[in-house]
Amino acid sequence: MSDSNKTDFTMPSTFILLGIPGLETAHVWISIPFCAVYAIALLGNFTILFIVKREPSLHGPMYYFLCMLAISDLVLSTSTLPKTLSIFWFNSRKIDFKACLTQMYFIHCFSAMESGIFVAMALDRYVAICDPLRHSTNLASPRVAKIGLAVLLRSCMLILPYPFLARQWPYCRTNIIPHTHCEHIAIVKLACSNIRISSYYSLSVGFAVMGLDVFSIAVSYTQILRAIFSLHTKDTRLKTFGTCVSHLCAILVFYIPRIFSSFTSRFGENVPLYFHVIIANVYLLLPPMLNPIIYGVRTKQIRDRLLRLFTHKGT
């Protein structure tokens, strides 16, 4: 370990991930909830994809966006959890430099993509509630595909400079990353040169993606709530608002841990390092696990199809 701690290299062949610094002795115990969360995320998201594919009645904009969200969650959790569990179980801490940059790209790219999908889902709810007669026309399948492609391209292009910028810095201090995965800011902090370009660019992307997306969602739901409260009967208002509850819950689960982690990583100098790492894992693992549960429980159509599937198998 001492040989890799202080080295005279500009391009390390490998990085060493420490896991959760300060809690190394508890790694095996921490792996139990991590593994359970990953298993639930895999099962839940594959179930969503299976049900939507199997049921022609669910082939609509809302469920197409939900499938995009499920795929994004699967990629996001799979890009981090297997390596994290290998650290916890087998003390397999080494990761190739290129593999580290690839993991970093996937993490940030699909996080940005998930944020864009939530904006698209908010747009779908807005059109469905505020202009229901034109919903099928405005959000026909070709347009949904174009929205999904735009979200993917935006994420890929905005995050593409991350690995290229990280690759150009000289790493002459250490190749040890005090984290469970290759997060962008955790990597560039190891560089022994001025990393302002990387830091400012990541901050700009954070504001551009998360700031604009949260603003767009807020505007959409302001209009949605205005339309809901203008409805004549209380039952109609409650029923219409109920269709948005699952989406609002998923939005809160996605954005709150991310915003909290972003603030603590940049301004929480007195916050213990292990707390930073745990929060960074929470915002990557919690949404993939909870999204299928939230939508499966709150969306009547998915719940009914799932119950029908099990009932049919039972009979």
Side-chain angles (χ1 to χ4, degrees):
M1 181 70 73
S2 58
D3 292 338
S4 59
N5 192 28
K6 296 291 181 183
T7 331
D8 294 325
F9 48 66
T10 58
M11 188 67 68
S13 59
T14 60
F15 279 124
I16 297 175
L17 295 166
L18 290 184
I20 304 179
L23 298 178
E24 288 87 354
T25 56
H27 275 177
V28 175
W29 296 106
I30 296 171
S31 71
I32 296 174
F34 274 52
C35 187
V37 166
Y38 184 46
I40 295 170
L42 290 178
L43 178 62
N45 285 291
F46 275 122
T47 301
I48 293 288
L49 292 172
F50 175 76
I51 290 175
V52 173
K53 184 180 184 300
R54 185 184 177 91
E55 293 292 335
S57 62
L58 299 181
H59 293 177
M62 174 183 173
Y63 302 102
Y64 289 147
F65 289 133
L66 185 55
C67 287
M68 294 178 197
L69 185 66
I71 293 171
S72 178
D73 282 337
L74 286 170
V75 174
L76 198 57
S77 57
T78 303
S79 64
T80 56
L81 251 295
K83 182 58 183 178
T84 299
L85 292 175
S86 72
I87 295 171
F88 291 165
W89 290 341
F90 310 113
N91 202 30
S92 177
R93 299 182 176 186
K94 287 186 178 181
I95 182 170
D96 185 76
F97 181 71
K98 292 181 180 178
C100 190
L101 295 184
T102 302
Q103 185 190 57
M104 176 189 71
Y105 180 77
F106 272 87
I107 290 170
H108 293 282
C109 177
F110 280 87
S111 292
M113 183 177 173
E114 192 156 330
S115 181
I117 294 169
F118 279 121
V119 175
M121 295 175 80
L123 173 65
D124 171 70
R125 290 299 84 204
Y126 168 76
V127 177
I129 292 172
C130 298
D131 196 6
L133 297 178
R134 300 176 62 185
H135 181 251
S136 59
T137 304
N138 289 335
L139 288 175
S141 296
R143 186 163 294 180
V144 170
K146 290 178 181 178
I147 293 173
L149 182 61
V151 169
L152 176 61
L153 289 176
R154 182 193 74 156
S155 304
C156 292
M157 296 306 294
L158 284 176
I159 305 301
L160 191 59
Y162 277 25
F164 287 101
L165 288 173
R167 187 181 176 85
Q168 76 171 0
W169 306 128
Y171 296 90
C172 53
R173 293 175 180 171
T174 179
N175 64 338
I176 296 177
I177 303 175
H179 216 297
T180 57
H181 54 265
C182 296
E183 196 177 47
H184 175 254
I185 197 66
I187 295 175
V188 297
K189 278 183 176 179
L190 302 182
C192 54
S193 63
N194 193 326
I195 59 168
R196 286 183 181 178
I197 297 176
S198 287
S199 182
Y200 289 157
Y201 183 76
S202 65
L203 195 62
S204 300
V205 169
F207 278 115
V209 173
M210 193 171 295
L212 290 177
D213 287 356
V214 169
F215 176 76
S216 300
I217 292 170
V219 170
S220 296
Y221 269 89
T222 300
Q223 298 300 318
I224 289 171
L225 291 175
R226 184 178 299 174
I228 289 174
F229 287 121
S230 66
L231 296 173
H232 298 294
T233 63
K234 181 180 179 181
D235 290 341
T236 307
R237 287 196 296 267
L238 290 175
K239 184 178 180 180
T240 306
F241 183 73
T243 63
C244 301
V245 169
S246 57
H247 186 50
L248 287 171
C249 291
I251 288 171
L252 293 175
V253 167
F254 178 78
Y255 283 109
I256 290 177
R258 273 168 170 71
I259 293 172
F260 184 74
S261 177
S262 179
F263 274 102
T264 55
S265 63
R266 294 184 181 277
F267 307 110
E269 292 84 2
N270 297 323
V271 178
L273 184 57
Y274 67 83
F275 186 76
H276 284 290
V277 177
I278 290 174
I279 292 298
N281 278 279
V282 165
Y283 80 70
L284 288 177
L285 304 181
L286 204 59
M289 180 191 73
L290 291 181
N291 285 341
I293 296 174
I294 291 170
Y295 285 106
V297 172
R298 292 295 310 176
T299 307
K300 184 178 185 298
Q301 291 86 344
I302 293 178
R303 188 172 65 246
D304 290 347
R305 297 320 185 272
L306 187 60
L307 291 173
R308 186 188 303 173
L309 181 65
F310 283 112
T311 304
H312 179 71
K313 284 187 175 181
T315 56

